[in-house]
């Protein structure tokens, strides 16, 4: 039997694990169902944090009305039901309202995500207040800070469970179902101890229905039948790089990443375009590196060049294994296959290649954008021979290039021009960007004819060299040389690509920023001085976390593989700070020190970013220390403030938890998808540090500090 004083701790840890797991599952579902990029992910986090904060603020009105015996059963029972229902909504609603293969309207994403998240987030905020009341009822001193700390421990366990330990063992939504069922069982145990037989029966029935529903309904089969009508699903698996699916219809195999088509078999025209536009520039015994793409189609095209050798590199080992199983490549001694990150591979490949072809998706996410930055292009330049050629491409701009599409192409051209003496844009299906320190030829069709290559599409009959040359000149002349340069620390190409994507829905890029600004004003109006300090620390903490995730993403690729560990470190630091702050006597001195620690962590993380981008191990270690120290400081600030305002634990916990999450929501919306790409790491870190410092000064001016320290 667990003593009563310990019951709230176990319930809090379990609640934290469930909410963290729900975030992980919904994040993956957003990537799959809503064509997730950094903007959509930022909006998801904004909705989650804001709605949870609102739920916490509203909870003080109804939490005191519940009988003490019902607190833990109600808290865990609500988390038994709502997370699975929210997951089902995220998975099914897009398929019910939009035809298969179509792009979901951005307004439907924004409104639908908010409505779907509303119930689980509002209840999750209320659960925090319930747990604070349970801790206070058990006689625990400083219940608000204690619940905050143990919830962080639960979030750490949930993040590790979902992102590290069970990733290859069980599907993430099955882990969520198991955690929710465990919550229901623990809630039933508490109800039994309190003598509420009716609550025991209700919770046990809900657990049983949840388990039966999971085994009776195959969510994947239901989804596949509607998302891929008329296709046989060959493979479907969650990977650290996203959800990977292979389907077959007739004799054609299609590969999807997060339900976005990656490539299809039999697309000879696409394969010929990717290879020949680049390799024909250096056709004699070329040493070629191809990153990404479908090797089953690309390899035969490269081997048409006499004496050619080829290395195919793919960062996703799960995708490589899928290709080997369903898209086999004819074996040839001239071809090598490597699995790993392109940037790290290029560090040791100086002067090794005549042609490098990057067959990457358009740079609408940090994952893809990191191959289009100045630092990445400089690595590629060093890996080429003096006359070597680099080839990148963007989706076709067709006959008319709008302002947004033109800006994207101008940024990429300007970035290439910083590393190469010559650049050439050829509108041949896609807009193909060629770069070299030697001459480049636009007459691809003529070059293929001179070499006597047999191609089905990319040849003099398919490509009208004079027309392509004139269109290339017109396109290049229309690009703004002052559009900026895409760098690791300031990924403006990703921002421009997202802006171009939003224009498809007649949505301006600044709408999310205006929403965030309105939320800032409302938060400022309705907060006192103590609350503003907590909100500033919450904003600083989430900015630090997002900034470090971005730095790691750019430096190493695939942040999803490392996110569990990084988020776990952040939650561990936050929990440790909240626990330690509950034992400190001189509160204002420590409060100022903790806010200063968060400021220093932000500034130092930005200073270390260049070293991380370059792969320096010392910089990576320093970044980890910054993450732990900053999260420790943010947790301590919350706990210290809750001790100052301890007259009513439920009201204090509801208000402070609400403003903490609202401050975090603003950082998630503004910084991640907008300000980091627009301003860069250094400006964002400095600005956020100034906000944290201002919040600390405002908070310390409150007379509550003197009152507390005199008692």
């Amino acid at each position: 039997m667990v003593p009563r004083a310990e019951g709230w701790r176990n319930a809090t840890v379990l609640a934290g694990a469930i909410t963290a797991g729900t975030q992980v599952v919904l994040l993956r579902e957003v990537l799959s169902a809503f064509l997730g990029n950094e903007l959509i992910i930022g909006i998801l986090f904004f909705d989650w944090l804001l709605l949870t904060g609102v739920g916490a603020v509203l909870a003080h009105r109804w939490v005191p009305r519940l009988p003490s015996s019902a607190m833990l059963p109600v808290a865990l029972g609500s988390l038994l039901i709502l997370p699975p229902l929210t997951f089902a909504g995220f998975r099914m609603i897009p398929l019910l309202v939009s035809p298969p293969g179509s792009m979901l309207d951005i307004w439907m994403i924004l409104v639908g995500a908010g409505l779907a998240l509303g119930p689980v987030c509002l209840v999750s905020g209320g659960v925090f207040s319930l747990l604070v009341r349970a801790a206070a009822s058990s006689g625990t001193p400083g219940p608000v800070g204690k619940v905050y700390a143990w919830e962080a421990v639960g979030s750490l366990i949930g993040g590790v469970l979902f992102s590290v330990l069970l990733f290859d063992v069980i599907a993430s939504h099955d882990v969520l179902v198991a955690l929710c069922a465990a919550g229901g069982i623990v809630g039933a145990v508490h109800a039994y101890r309190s003598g509420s037989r009716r609550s025991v029966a209700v919770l046990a029935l809900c657990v049983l229905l949840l388990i039966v529903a999971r085994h009776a309904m195959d969510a994947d089969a239901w989804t596949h039948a509607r998302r891929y009508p008329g296709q046989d699903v060959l493979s479907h698996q969650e990977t650290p790089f996203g959800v990977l699916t292979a389907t077959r219809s007739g004799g054609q195999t299609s590969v999807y990443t997060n339900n976005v088509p990656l490539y299809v078999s039999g697309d000879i025209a696409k394969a010929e375009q990717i290879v020949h536009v680049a390799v024909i520039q250096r056709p004699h015994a070329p040493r070629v590196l191809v990153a990404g793409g479908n090797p089953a189609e690309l390899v035969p095209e490269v081997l048409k060049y006499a004496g050619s050798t080829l290395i195919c590199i793919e960062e996703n080992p799960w995708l490589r294994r899928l290709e080997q199983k369903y898209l086999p490549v004819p074996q040839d001694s001239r071809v090598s296959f490597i699995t790993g990150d392109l940037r790290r591979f290029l560090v040791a490949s100086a002067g090794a290649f005549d042609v490098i072809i990057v067959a990457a998706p358009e740079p609408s996410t940090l994952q893809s954008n990191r191959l289009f930055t100045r630092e990445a292009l400089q690595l590629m330049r060093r890996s080429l021979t003096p006359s070597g050629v680099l080839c990148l491409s963007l989706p076709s701009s067709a006959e008319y290039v709008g302002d947004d599409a033109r800006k994207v192409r101008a940024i990429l051209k300007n970035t290439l021009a910083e590393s190469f003496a010559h650049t050439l844009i050829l509108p041949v299906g896609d807009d193909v960007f060629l770069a070299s320190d030697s001459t480049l030829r636009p007459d691809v069709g003529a070059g293929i004819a001179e070499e006597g290559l047999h191609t089905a599409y990319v040849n003099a009959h398919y490509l009208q060299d004079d027309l392509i040359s004139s269109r290339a000149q017109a396109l290049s002349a229309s690009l703004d040389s002052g559009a900026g340069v895409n760098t690791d620390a300031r990924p403006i190409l990703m921002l421009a690509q997202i802006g171009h994507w939003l224009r498809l829905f007649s949505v301006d890029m600044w709408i999310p920023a205006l929403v965030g600004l309105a939320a800032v004003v409302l938060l400022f109006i309705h907060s006192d001085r103590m609350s503003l300090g907590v909100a500033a620390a919450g904003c600083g903490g989430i900015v630090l976390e997002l900034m470090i995730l971005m730095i790691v993403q750019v430096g190493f690729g695939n942040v999803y593989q490392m996110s569990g560990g990084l988020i776990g470190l952040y939650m561990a630091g936050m929990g440790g700070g909240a626990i330690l702050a509950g034992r400190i006597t001189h509160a204002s001195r420590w409060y100022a020190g903790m806010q200063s620690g968060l400021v220093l962590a932000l500034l130092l993380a930005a200073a270390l970013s260049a070293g991380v981008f370059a792969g320096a191990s010392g910089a990576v270690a320093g970044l980890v220390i910054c993450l732990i120290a900053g999260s420790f400081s943010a947790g301590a600030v919350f706990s210290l403030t809750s001790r100052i305002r301890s007259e009513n634990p439920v009201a204090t916990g509801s208000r402070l938890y609400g403003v903490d999450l609202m401050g975090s929501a603003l950082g998630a919306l503004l910084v991640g998808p907008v300000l980091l790409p627009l301003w860069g790491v250094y400006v964002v870190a400095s600005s956020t540090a100034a906000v944290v410092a201002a919040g600390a000064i405002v908070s310390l001016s409150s007379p509550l500090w003197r009152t507390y320290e005199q008692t």
Side-chain angles (χ1 to χ4, degrees):
M1 297 284 288
V2 179
R4 185 184 176 197
E6 298 297 323
W8 69 266
R9 288 191 180 89
N10 298 331
T12 301
V13 170
L14 189 53
I18 293 172
T19 53
T22 305
Q23 289 183 42
V24 172
V25 171
L26 293 184
L27 174 60
R28 290 179 181 166
E29 203 59 33
V30 162
L31 292 173
S32 301
F34 295 125
L35 304 179
N37 51 37
E38 266 66 22
L39 177 63
I40 299 301
I41 293 171
I43 290 171
L44 172 71
F45 278 121
F46 174 78
D47 287 344
W48 179 281
L49 295 167
L50 180 66
L51 290 170
T52 304
V54 171
V57 171
L58 296 177
H60 78 278
R61 299 179 181 273
W62 59 268
V63 166
R65 301 176 186 175
L66 286 176
S68 297
S69 60
M71 290 184 297
L72 296 182
V74 168
L76 294 173
S78 61
L79 295 178
L80 159 66
I81 300 169
L82 290 174
L85 289 178
T86 305
F87 165 76
F90 266 76
R91 172 160 288 196
M92 296 179 181
I93 290 174
L95 296 174
L96 294 174
V97 301
S98 181
S102 63
M103 185 180 296
L104 203 63
D105 187 271
I106 185 67
W107 291 110
M108 191 175 295
I109 296 174
L110 300 178
V111 176
L115 292 176
L117 286 173
V120 69
C121 291
L122 292 172
V123 168
S124 178
V127 165
F128 180 85
S129 298
L130 273 172
L131 293 169
V132 169
R133 186 183 168 201
S137 300
S138 70
T140 302
V144 177
K146 295 287 198 313
V147 170
Y148 189 82
W150 286 106
E151 185 190 49
V153 172
S155 297
L156 166 62
I157 294 172
V160 172
L161 192 66
F162 276 80
S163 298
V164 180
L165 297 180
L166 296 182
F167 187 83
D168 289 324
V169 178
I170 185 172
S172 59
H173 54 272
D174 285 333
V175 182
L176 179 61
V177 168
L179 270 179
C180 291
I185 293 171
V186 172
V189 170
H190 285 292
Y192 177 80
R193 289 175 176 174
S194 64
S196 178
R197 300 294 186 268
R198 182 177 299 176
S199 297
V200 172
V202 171
L203 289 171
L205 179 61
C206 289
V207 170
L208 180 63
L209 290 175
L210 178 63
I211 295 172
V212 170
R214 173 63 192 96
H215 288 280
M217 297 176 58
D218 190 337
D220 286 338
W222 186 93
T223 302
H224 295 157
R226 286 153 182 81
R227 182 167 283 143
Y228 310 112
Q231 302 181 58
D232 297 324
V233 177
L234 305 175
S235 174
H236 179 80
Q237 60 183 138
E238 293 183 13
T239 79
F241 297 81
V243 179
L244 188 63
T245 309
T247 68
R248 181 166 292 161
S249 179
Q252 187 176 69
T253 301
S254 302
V255 178
Y256 301 83
T257 299
N258 294 325
N259 298 314
V260 176
L262 190 60
Y263 50 74
V264 297
S265 65
D267 192 352
I268 303 301
K270 180 76 170 181
E272 289 185 353
Q273 173 193 294
I274 292 173
V275 170
H276 294 294
V277 172
V279 182
I280 199 63
Q281 307 292 329
R282 306 292 181 264
H284 302 130
R287 292 168 292 171
V288 182
L289 172 67
V290 175
N294 179 7
E297 309 285 354
L298 300 177
V299 168
E301 298 303 320
V302 174
L303 296 183
K304 290 179 180 179
Y305 293 84
S308 59
T309 57
L310 171 63
I311 293 178
C312 294
I313 184 168
E314 171 57 54
E315 66 172 348
N316 186 346
W318 285 265
L319 177 57
R320 178 53 52 83
R321 289 195 290 268
L322 184 147
E323 291 169 346
Q324 292 171 344
K325 185 174 182 180
Y326 298 110
L327 297 165
V329 179
Q331 297 299 310
D332 193 290
S333 60
R334 293 184 287 163
V335 183
S336 301
F337 295 93
I338 295 175
T339 301
D341 178 53
L342 175 63
R343 288 179 57 150
R344 277 178 276 179
F345 171 76
L346 292 175
V347 170
S349 304
F353 302 102
D354 298 295
V355 179
I356 296 177
I357 300 172
V358 179
E362 59 192 41
S364 58
T365 66
L366 283 173
Q367 177 67 22
S368 53
N369 181 80
R370 66 187 295 269
L371 300 181
F372 294 79
T373 64
R374 175 175 59 195
E375 292 80 0
L377 298 180
Q378 288 173 346
L379 279 175
M380 296 177 198
R381 176 63 197 91
R382 288 197 291 269
S383 299
L384 288 166
T385 60
S387 61
V389 176
L390 171 64
C391 176
L392 302 162
S393 62
L394 294 174
S396 174
S397 56
E399 297 296 328
Y400 172 73
V401 186
D403 290 340
D404 296 300
R406 188 180 293 112
K407 183 176 182 179
V408 170
R409 282 147 183 79
I411 292 171
L412 181 53
K413 183 183 179 184
N414 294 346
T415 309
L416 285 166
E418 288 219 340
S419 299
F420 295 90
H422 302 280
T423 60
L424 179 63
I425 309 175
L426 296 180
V428 288
D430 289 344
D431 290 340
V432 178
F433 288 71
L434 300 173
S436 178
D437 283 342
S438 188
T439 57
L440 296 166
R441 60 184 304 175
D443 55 336
V444 174
I448 290 174
E450 291 171 8
E451 296 300 321
L453 300 175
H454 176 70
T455 55
Y457 296 97
V458 180
N459 50 48
H461 302 290
Y462 178 82
L463 301 177
Q464 300 181 39
D465 288 337
D466 54 346
L467 177 60
I468 290 174
S469 181
S470 63
R471 289 178 59 194
Q473 292 175 9
L475 177 59
S476 294
S478 69
L479 302 182
D480 180 11
S481 60
V485 172
N486 190 42
T487 67
D488 283 344
R490 187 167 173 254
I492 59 172
L493 183 61
M494 182 193 76
L495 185 67
Q497 185 66 41
I498 292 177
H500 177 48
W501 176 70
L502 286 176
R503 290 293 186 185
L504 298 175
F505 310 101
S506 301
V507 178
D508 193 277
M509 184 68 190
W510 287 103
I511 286 179
L514 293 175
V515 171
L517 182 61
V520 169
V521 173
L522 291 174
L523 179 63
F524 184 81
I525 291 173
H526 293 284
S527 295
D528 57 22
R529 281 179 279 184
M530 298 294 291
S531 298
L532 285 175
V534 171
C539 181
I542 198 70
V543 169
L544 176 67
E545 183 179 11
L546 290 174
M547 188 172 69
I548 288 177
L549 285 171
M550 191 204 88
I551 293 170
V552 171
Q553 169 78 312
V554 174
F556 297 94
N558 185 33
V559 72
Y560 307 111
Q561 194 169 23
M562 304 180 185
S563 60
L566 293 173
I567 294 173
L569 289 173
Y570 184 85
M571 300 311 299
M574 183 176 291
I579 291 172
L580 181 64
R583 304 174 181 177
I584 295 172
T585 54
H586 300 291
S588 62
R589 183 186 309 170
W590 281 100
Y591 180 90
M594 291 299 101
Q595 292 279 31
S596 299
L598 181 54
V599 168
L600 291 175
L602 284 161
L603 297 176
L604 184 58
L608 291 169
S609 62
V612 176
F613 296 151
S617 57
V620 176
L623 205 65
V624 170
I625 294 172
C626 289
L627 181 64
I628 297 173
S631 61
F632 183 94
S633 299
V637 166
F638 181 92
S639 184
L640 286 168
T641 307
S642 70
R643 289 175 57 195
I644 303 304
R645 302 183 59 174
S646 58
E647 66 283 352
N648 184 335
V650 173
T652 297
S654 298
R655 183 174 185 81
L656 291 183
Y657 192 65
V659 298
D660 178 54
L661 292 178
M662 290 178 189
S664 300
L666 297 177
L669 177 66
L670 291 176
V671 175
V674 179
L675 297 185
L676 265 174
L678 184 65
W679 289 351
V681 169
Y682 304 105
V683 176
V684 164
S686 301
S687 302
T688 306
V691 169
V692 173
I697 293 170
V698 171
S699 176
L700 287 169
S701 69
S702 172
L704 290 174
W705 287 106
R706 291 189 297 274
T707 302
Y708 172 79
E709 292 176 343
Q710 289 171 359
T711 58

